[in-house]
Amino acid sequence: MIKRCCTLLCVGFLSYLSAGDLSYIDKAHQSLSEWIYNTSNKIDLFFLRYKQSDIKSTDSYIDTSFDTYYEEYQKTLYRYNIKVRLRLPRTGKRLHLVFKDYKNSISSDRQNSSNISDSVGNNSYLLGVALDKFKSRYLHLRAGSGVRFHGISPDAYISLQVSKRFFTGSKWQFELSSTARYFAKRKNEDTISFISSKVLDSYLKFTILNNYHYQQKTSDKQEVVNALILDQYLNSKKGVSYSASIYSSGDSKEAFKLHYYLLQLLYKRYFYKNYAYYEITPGIIFRDSRAFKPDFKVMFKVGLFFGKKATKGYRKF
């Protein structure tokens, strides 16, 4: 069922793009966006059991995409991505139903498939509810619960996310965040991020990213990514991101060590209105397994955004 829905959303809709029937594309996009809008409101009314027409969900959405990875001396890999968020404003002002693919690593070597047909079924997914207990410019507190499933093997979880922002007179912004999940089977999983960023001008933003990820199930695996990122806004349709990153990891069986350096450029463009986009990410990777010799890699992503409240294309800082 999931595989069929994902295929209809991503592959089927893109086939209409290639067919060139733009009026039909817009109608199909509008119909699905309306369905998302109506579904979130019906669910909202079901829980509340009465109508309140002055409150409606306009920011529910589906963002779906498909990745193709190529790297020298490696086989080509594929990945399907999806994130669905249905907001329930009547039931709770900050309550959301969430469905998304589950990424088990902060490395660029994520869970992928060696062929296109398995890229949907090989993924793990999270289905749950998230509640923004408190949300402001400076502090965000979100609690959640749900089920992770891969095939017919469900794994219940609870989660808590806390993020705190700081601002300085020099226009630097600092954000410290922690996301903790506890799975019934996979046990603890924690991600801690410290992000420093500064808008240099109306077209450039500089970011220093530090991520730490821990998984108890995978032999107490620990991962660290440190990155320098420069985002460049070109116009409302496109933008570029330049980055240099380092990835290290270790667990109870292997000592913590550096695995790769990565230099890459990400180009994103909305090629049809404000909901069909693609990304091209070429880069050079220096792997420990290759004695840190430079290897070329590239990722191509094509995606679609559905929602009554459409995106505004490539967003400025």
Side-chain angles (χ1 to χ4, degrees), residues 123-125 147-156 183 185-186:
N123 274 1
S124 295
Y125 298 91
V147 177
R148 170 193 173 272
F149 57 93
H150 182 93
I152 57 174
S153 178
D155 189 3
F183 293 90
K185 296 178 181 178
R186 298 176 65 86

Side-chain angles (χ1 to χ4, degrees), residues 232 234-241 266-281 300-304 313-315:
Q232 182 179 14
L234 299 177
N235 57 44
S236 61
K237 290 288 187 181
K238 55 189 176 182
V240 183
S241 179
L266 186 156
Y267 174 77
K268 181 174 183 177
R269 184 176 186 274
Y270 284 81
F271 64 93
Y272 183 70
K273 296 195 173 179
N274 56 2
Y275 59 81
Y277 63 90
Y278 66 81
E279 295 178 7
I280 300 176
T281 311
F300 179 75
K301 177 194 294 283
V302 61
L304 298 164
Y314 195 88
R315 297 189 176 184

Side-chain angles (χ1 to χ4, degrees), residues 144-206:
S145 64
V147 177
R148 170 193 173 272
F149 57 93
H150 182 93
I152 57 174
S153 178
D155 189 3
Y157 72 88
I158 56 174
S159 64
L160 180 64
Q161 177 182 339
V162 181
S163 62
K164 173 70 175 176
R165 290 181 179 176
F166 307 87
F167 300 88
T168 68
S170 59
K171 297 184 178 180
W172 276 93
Q173 175 182 310
F174 303 95
E175 180 175 349
L176 179 63
S177 66
S178 175
T179 301
R181 289 194 186 101
Y182 181 82
F183 293 90
K185 296 178 181 178
R186 298 176 65 86
K187 305 304 180 183
N188 291 328
E189 179 180 328
D190 304 295
T191 302
I192 299 174
S193 301
F194 181 66
I195 304 171
S196 309
S197 62
K198 182 177 182 179
V199 177
L200 304 178
D201 58 37
S202 57
Y203 295 94
L204 290 173
K205 180 181 179 181
F206 177 67

